[in-house]
């Protein structure tokens, strides 16, 4: 430990540059990953918040919520088989300072109620809870939104995070509010868990079928089209970062051959050299990654609400683990050479 810290202090400029490179790689991976996760949230966050395992959807909708329209007759038959949460929706446009914005109105149910980040849930037919991104349009609690094609207004009583479907903000109203909306219809019936018998009975009905939450999200037109290339990009970033870090620490270790030879000549054991090398790499890697995470967390607090930016704790932990592992791999690859170093040969003797 003492040997490792002494070398870090003596060659501080060199190790600062190494730390800077690790920081830049970690920052790039985290930033691109957060953007990809943010775009994913803009597609599926509204569905994720429902937190249901199965949904009944119209057969001809291709699993697409926006195209599903279940008749009242079929809804009654499904509810007779198993009681679920009926999700009614209505696509509308509202007037904003910049023109018009699409909104997917959704009805509150006993089990589907988003948690407001500000304000409260609607209690009257003329009240609405909006997606927080609409704050960027200048809306505040107490304001009224007006439907573009109808002489109808709703009072904003709250905002909630991550209420989006296919890049469209969602708004929640109660049953009375949904009844007043033109074009409202039954899109889905949601369930926490259906047994095999119930699924079979529902699938035997005309015009409806049972799908999973994954099926519902995968059917969003923009979801897979965006996520597949973005996820591939993130994988390549991890691979490139791993190659760069591994090669970097390998070369850096090999360059210290003569130094290791001198240390061996004065009696330093291989165990001490290996321990010193590993401690150095861990310290450098952890400092670089920690600075990247700190800056990303800081950016997250000042990012505009309209920016698709979402930090995933699991992804951050994965990145830390990958960077530590590949850094140590780079050192391990050179350890065999270090252990075989002959002191006289390393310092240029014959």
């Amino acid at each position: 430990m003492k040997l490792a810290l002494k070398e870090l202090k003596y060659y501080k400029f060199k190790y600062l540059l190494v730390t800077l490179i690790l920081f830049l790689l970690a920052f790039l991976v985290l930033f691109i990953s957060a953007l990809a996760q943010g775009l994913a949230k803009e597609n599926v966050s509204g569905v994720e918040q429902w937190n249901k395992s199965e949904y009944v959807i119209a057969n001809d909708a291709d699993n697409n919520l926006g195209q599903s329209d279940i008749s009242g007759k079929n809804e009654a038959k499904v509810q007779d088989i198993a009681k679920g949460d009926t999700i009614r929706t209505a696509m509308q446009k509202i007037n904003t300072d910049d023109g018009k914005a699409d909104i997917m109105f959704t009805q509150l149910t006993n089990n589907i109620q988003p948690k407001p980040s500000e304000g409260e849930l609607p209690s009257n037919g003329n009240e609405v809870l909006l997606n927080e991104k609409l704050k960027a349009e200048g809306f505040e609690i107490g304001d009224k939104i007006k439907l573009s094609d109808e002489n109808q207004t709703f009072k904003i009583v709250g905002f909630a995070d991550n209420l989006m479907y296919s890049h469209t903000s969602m708004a929640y109203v109660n049953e009375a509010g949904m009844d007043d909306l033109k074009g409202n219809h039954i899109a889905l019936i949601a369930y926490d868990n259906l047994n095999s018998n119930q699924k079979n009975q529902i699938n035997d009905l005309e015009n409806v079928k049972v799908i999973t939450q994954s099926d519902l999200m995968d059917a969003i037109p923009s979801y897979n089209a965006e996520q597949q290339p973005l996820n591939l990009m993130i994988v390549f970033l991890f691979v490139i970062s791993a190659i760069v870090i591994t090669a970097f620490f390998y070369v850096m270790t090999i360059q210290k051959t003569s130094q290791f030879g001198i240390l061996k000549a004065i009696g330093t054991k291989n165990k001490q050299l290996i321990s010193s090398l590993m401690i150095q790499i861990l310290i450098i890697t952890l400092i670089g990654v920690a600075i990247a995470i700190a800056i990303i967390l800081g950016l997250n607090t000042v990012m505009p609400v309209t920016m698709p930016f979402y930090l995933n704790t699991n992804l951050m932990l994965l990145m830390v683990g990958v960077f530590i592992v590949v850094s140590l791999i780079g050192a391990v690859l050179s350890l065999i050479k270090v252990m075989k170093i002959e002191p006289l040969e390393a310092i240029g003797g014959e």
Side-chain angles (χ1 to χ4, degrees):
M1 180 72 171
K2 186 177 179 181
L3 180 62
L5 294 176
K6 277 188 175 181
E7 186 177 355
L8 288 174
K9 185 177 180 181
Y10 188 80
Y11 295 107
K12 52 182 173 291
F13 183 72
K14 178 177 76 172
Y15 287 113
L16 279 174
L17 289 177
V18 176
T19 304
L20 177 62
I21 292 171
L22 284 167
F23 154 72
L24 291 173
L25 288 171
F27 180 83
L28 180 62
V29 170
L30 281 176
F31 191 80
I32 298 299
S33 299
L35 288 176
Q37 291 292 319
L39 286 170
K41 286 291 180 182
E42 288 198 348
N43 273 306
V44 301
S45 58
V47 174
E48 286 179 335
Q49 288 210 22
W50 293 339
N51 196 29
K52 301 294 181 179
S53 59
E54 285 107 12
Y55 296 87
V56 175
I57 194 168
N59 260 334
D60 58 357
D62 294 327
N63 296 350
N64 190 327
L65 164 62
Q67 298 176 15
S68 179
D69 187 355
I70 299 173
S71 68
K73 182 179 178 181
N74 278 330
E75 190 260 349
K77 291 180 180 178
V78 173
Q79 293 284 10
D80 285 341
I81 296 170
K83 295 294 182 184
D85 287 285
T86 298
I87 298 175
R88 296 167 67 194
T89 64
M91 289 298 300
Q92 298 286 340
K93 290 183 182 292
I94 63 170
N95 294 330
T96 68
D97 292 339
D98 297 326
K100 298 180 180 181
D102 290 323
I103 300 286
M104 176 184 279
F105 280 85
T106 309
Q107 181 185 321
L108 296 167
T109 72
N110 290 333
N111 298 311
I112 296 179
Q113 299 185 358
K115 185 178 180 180
S117 58
E118 182 181 349
E120 59 187 17
L121 293 172
S123 57
N124 296 319
N126 65 338
E127 295 179 344
V128 65
L129 176 119
L130 295 180
N131 178 39
E132 197 166 56
K133 283 185 180 289
L134 289 170
K135 284 184 178 180
E137 300 289 347
F139 293 119
E140 297 179 354
I141 290 178
D143 290 346
K144 290 188 176 181
I145 59 171
K146 184 179 183 300
L147 303 189
S148 299
D149 301 327
E150 301 288 331
N151 188 23
Q152 189 175 0
T153 60
F154 287 89
K155 180 183 177 182
I156 302 171
V157 294
F159 291 95
D161 292 328
N162 298 319
L163 295 183
M164 298 199 76
Y165 175 81
S166 189
H167 294 292
T168 300
S169 287
M170 297 172 68
Y172 277 85
V173 293
N174 64 12
E175 185 176 359
M178 181 59 70
D179 288 338
D180 291 337
L181 283 168
K182 183 180 179 180
N184 76 81
H185 62 279
I186 299 169
L188 300 167
I189 306 171
Y191 293 91
D192 289 317
N193 191 27
L194 287 171
N195 60 45
S196 299
N197 184 49
Q198 290 169 329
K199 289 180 186 179
N200 291 333
Q201 288 184 62
I202 293 172
N203 286 329
D204 287 338
L205 296 175
E206 291 185 4
N207 303 320
V208 292
K209 64 179 179 180
V210 179
I211 63 172
T212 64
Q213 180 166 285
S214 296
D215 294 331
L216 187 63
M217 292 191 298
D218 288 340
I220 298 173
S222 56
Y223 182 57
N224 283 324
E226 290 176 356
Q227 288 305 298
Q228 287 177 358
L230 286 171
N231 288 335
L232 188 61
M233 186 188 303
I234 293 169
V235 170
F236 275 118
L237 277 174
F238 270 109
V239 171
I240 292 169
S241 298
I243 293 172
V244 170
I245 294 170
T246 302
F248 204 84
F249 280 113
Y250 176 80
V251 172
M252 191 174 73
T253 304
I254 294 300
Q255 286 178 337
K256 296 195 292 185
T257 299
S258 59
Q259 180 183 330
F260 287 135
I262 294 171
L263 289 170
K264 279 192 171 186
I266 61 176
T268 305
K269 297 180 179 179
N270 282 330
K271 183 179 179 180
Q272 291 176 284
L273 294 177
I274 293 170
S275 174
S276 172
L277 183 62
M278 293 300 184
I279 290 171
Q280 285 178 0
I281 289 173
L282 281 174
I283 291 173
I284 294 169
T285 303
L286 288 174
I287 290 175
V289 170
I291 294 172
I293 290 175
I295 292 178
I296 283 289
L297 290 173
L299 280 175
N300 190 45
T301 62
V302 298
M303 283 285 186
V305 69
T306 53
M307 175 71 77
F309 196 81
Y310 180 80
L311 289 176
N312 187 316
T313 303
N314 291 332
L315 187 63
M316 285 194 287
L317 293 174
L318 173 64
M319 193 237 12
V320 172
V322 168
F323 271 56
I324 290 175
V325 169
V326 298
S327 298
L328 294 177
I329 288 174
V332 168
L333 291 176
S334 57
L335 284 181
I336 298 175
K337 186 174 179 66
V338 170
M339 294 176 68
K340 290 182 178 179
I341 291 174
E342 292 294 335
L344 188 61
E345 180 183 347
I347 60 179
E350 296 183 3

